[in-house]
Amino acid sequence: MTRPAPLTRLPRSAGAGAAVLLVLGAATACSSSGDGDEVGSGSGSASGKLSGTVTVFAAASLTESFTTLGERFEKANPGTEVTFNFGGSDSLAAGITSGAPADVFASASPKTMKIVTDAGDAAGTPATFVRNRLEIATLPGNPEGISSLKDLTEPELKVVLCDKEVPCGAAAQTALDASGLKLTPVSYEQDVKSALTKVRLKEADAALVYKTDVHAAGDKVEGVDFPEAAEAVNDYPIALLKDAPNAVAAEAFVAYVRSDEGRRVLADAGFLTP
Amino acid sequence: MRAGGGQGVPLPLLLPALLALAFLLVPLLALLARAPWQSMPEQLTSPAVWQALRLSLVCATAATVVSLVLGVPLAWLLARTEFPGRGLVRALVTLPLVLPPVVGGVALLMALGRNGVVGQWLDAWFGISLPFTTAGVVVAEAFVAMPFLVISVEGTLRAADRRYEEAAATLGASRFTAFRRVTLPLIAPGIAAGAVLAWARALGEFGATITFAGNFPGRTQTMPLAVYLALQSDPEAAIALSVVLLAVSIAVLAGLRDRWMTAS
């Protein structure tokens, strides 16, 4: 079955012009681009100064690190503004293929990125910029004494997983399959953040989430590493989008994410370098 | 421009009215137009869909029963008695109508979750934990649906002629007997209308359910949740499921149309 064609396409003359503008390196993108670029419209000089809004669709697990990266990018490039749409990678991909006006897509799995590249919505080849692995999130102090993936199969434990349709759920399934374990969760949550939230609220005893999400939750949860996580390491691809309303600044943001400084922020959040 | 019956319909009213009609109907027609009719039988015979549909119907009905048992007395209290702060209570009762459902779900978690204000005692004393259970779905649905019933029944009670109740009282009936034998039959159409509204609202409930009850096939995954998660990976399946939910809703509203119409 083919995916439905986009229902709406915002007028985007900027998309076609993006390549030309890239070559020129001029800040005149604002004149042809549709929205949010008024900030830099005064500077017609070809100084390469960046301006306007960069809209980034990013996997929920990137929330904390990308928010930090966005703030630093804005500080380094006055006149730019980075806005984020964090969510499950699949629904973000569905949004992009339906014509959502985004500049950059950072997905939590190659499979979801493929949805976007298959639809011809990515400019160039997506690049893997970080990798992530799973960890067991438990309540602070690990009151249930969970030390392995097998411990999660205890019937009296309330465990939540991500839904198999979203990358963290697929990774969890891979890890469980690799260990030959069968696990019946109490819920398949719609994204990694809501799975973790159920533990933070003490509604669930444990969740299989990314190491980075455990890290971001601070002392609200405790992380337990398990060896099978190595079987389910997720690659995170990032891509500039073909119809990006603000391609120049967007490309700079992608470059920033992949720069040494960007890598440092991501590594601090617990991501692995590819 | 004139419509039949000799009554003129002013253009400034007719045009926006038709626009409103189109606005409400076009999205539904679009859903039908884009439905994958060829693969529909295959989509609908999948056990997962039946499981979600059955759970939706059972939970919506249970939530309606809960709303009836608790909501009708509340409506009576609001319509027939005087107590301090009644106006405020009535306003609070309608709050779930305007509250975003996901906020309702968070509030339910805070109250009835395993660690909630009331929930921790339910868990400690009776071993009852509502999140992640079918009962939790019913609670979430009743929370958002009951106000519809209360408002509808209260309105009917206010419009009902109180002289019948007074006559019953002069004949020696207690207030409860008068309610049971006189008032209840009198306001039955209003109750039915409220029940249908509540049922339909419960059937469509999404935000509070996924927040409070989670998502597990066969236990807490109702149709709206199944639609949402299908949309993540298989839009065709999501459209097919949406069409089913639409058909069920239309069938029920149409089936109860007569009672539904006489209520207002």
Side-chain angles (χ1 to χ4, degrees):
Chain A
M1 279 297 141
T2 54
R3 246 156 217 289
L7 296 174
T8 54
R9 281 280 178 195
L10 296 178
R12 251 179 280 159
S13 53
V20 180
L21 288 167
L22 275 173
V23 174
L24 293 175
T28 44
C30 43
S31 57
S32 60
S33 157
D35 51 346
D37 291 9
E38 287 78 9
V39 184
S41 57
S43 64
S45 69
S47 64
K49 196 171 166 297
L50 300 169
S51 68
T53 303
V54 180
T55 307
V56 180
F57 278 30
S61 43
L62 291 166
T63 305
E64 293 79 12
S65 44
F66 264 40
T67 304
T68 307
L69 287 174
E71 281 163 8
R72 294 198 185 180
F73 181 80
E74 283 171 5
K75 204 168 282 176
N77 300 282
T80 60
E81 194 189 335
V82 188
T83 59
F84 292 104
N85 180 12
F86 294 112
S89 295
D90 292 88
S91 49
L92 296 176
I96 289 165
T97 55
S98 305
D103 293 293
V104 176
F105 179 41
S107 154
S109 76
K111 184 175 143 261
T112 38
M113 181 55 86
K114 194 166 177 294
I115 296 171
V116 171
T117 49
D118 282 355
D121 284 334
T125 316
T128 300
F129 67 106
V130 280
R131 310 177 82 191
N132 210 349
R133 77 202 117 145
L134 293 174
E135 201 168 51
I136 300 167
T138 68
L139 298 174
N142 195 358
E144 305 289 340
I146 296 162
S147 62
S148 71
L149 199 55
K150 191 168 186 306
D151 288 349
L152 296 183
T153 57
E154 294 286 329
E156 61 271 21
L157 271 192
K158 288 188 181 203
V159 180
V160 294
L161 298 181
C162 295
D163 197 85
K164 294 180 189 81
E165 310 294 358
V166 298
C168 64
Q173 198 53 53
T174 309
L176 286 167
D177 289 347
S179 57
L181 290 171
K182 271 202 99 63
L183 170 57
T184 306
V186 288
S187 178
Y188 293 102
E189 294 292 314
Q190 70 270 29
D191 64 40
V192 63
K193 291 297 179 193
S194 56
L196 189 68
T197 298
K198 293 282 152 70
V199 177
R200 291 180 63 159
L201 292 174
K202 300 193 172 72
E203 295 303 336
D205 299 307
L208 271 184
V209 296
Y210 295 121
K211 194 177 174 65
T212 51
D213 294 295
V214 174
H215 189 279
D219 53 8
K220 299 287 195 303
V221 296
E222 190 167 314
V224 177
D225 279 310
F226 59 99
E228 297 89 342
E231 307 288 332
V233 173
N234 262 30
D235 285 347
Y236 281 51
I238 190 167
L240 183 68
L241 297 174
K242 187 163 68 63
D243 294 327
N246 191 4
V248 180
E251 189 163 47
F253 180 74
V254 174
Y256 179 69
V257 169
R258 302 185 64 194
S259 71
D260 286 345
E261 194 184 345
R263 277 162 191 264
R264 224 172 5 253
V265 170
L266 289 158
D268 283 349
F271 284 104
L272 307 167
T273 36
Chain B
M1 191 169 287
R2 296 178 74 83
Q7 273 293 344
V9 179
L11 202 60
L13 291 185
L14 186 67
L15 276 181
L18 290 179
L19 255 169
L21 192 66
F23 175 62
L24 295 176
L25 289 185
V26 165
L28 302 181
L29 295 174
L31 196 61
L32 295 179
R34 297 289 294 271
W37 294 109
Q38 296 91 338
S39 63
M40 206 71 162
E42 171 195 343
Q43 299 269 19
L44 300 186
T45 46
S46 92
V49 171
W50 279 114
Q51 211 176 30
L53 184 60
R54 196 177 56 233
L55 190 73
S56 273
L57 297 176
V58 167
C59 289
T61 307
T64 308
V65 171
V66 171
S67 300
L68 280 169
V69 170
L70 304 178
V72 172
L74 177 59
W76 183 86
L77 214 63
L78 291 174
R80 286 286 191 267
T81 62
E82 286 292 342
F83 57 89
R86 195 184 57 171
L88 184 66
V89 172
R90 191 191 293 125
L92 291 177
V93 162
T94 55
L95 210 52
L97 287 181
V98 291
L99 214 57
V102 62
V103 175
V106 174
L108 284 172
L109 268 181
M110 295 308 118
L112 298 171
R114 193 167 63 156
N115 201 39
V117 177
V118 180
Q120 56 182 312
W121 303 113
L122 285 180
D123 193 22
W125 292 345
F126 310 108
I128 298 172
S129 177
L130 287 171
F132 311 123
T133 62
T134 306
V137 178
V138 176
V139 167
E141 291 185 351
F143 182 78
V144 294
M146 198 187 297
F148 285 90
L149 182 100
V150 173
I151 286 191
S152 170
V153 173
E154 198 216 342
T156 319
L157 272 168
R158 288 184 175 279
D161 197 335
R162 295 187 69 159
R163 282 175 300 179
Y164 294 106
E165 291 167 38
E166 283 155 13
T170 60
L171 294 172
S174 74
R175 224 172 166 184
F176 183 61
T177 309
F179 169 76
R180 215 159 37 88
R181 305 286 294 271
V182 179
T183 315
L184 221 45
L186 205 62
I187 60 165
I191 295 178
V196 172
L197 258 184
W199 190 86
R201 179 67 189 84
L203 192 70
E205 216 304 304
F206 169 77
T209 310
I210 202 163
T211 312
F212 181 60
N215 169 61
F216 189 87
R219 193 160 65 215
T220 60
Q221 188 181 73
T222 56
M223 283 293 275
L225 273 60
V227 171
Y228 178 74
L229 284 157
L231 202 55
Q232 312 260 327
S233 61
D234 188 357
E236 302 247 310
I239 296 170
L241 292 178
S242 301
V243 169
V244 176
L245 206 54
L246 187 67
V248 171
S249 304
I250 289 174
V252 168
L253 290 182
L256 293 166
R257 188 169 154 268
D258 286 338
R259 285 209 238 171
W260 164 259
M261 298 300 270
T262 51
S264 48

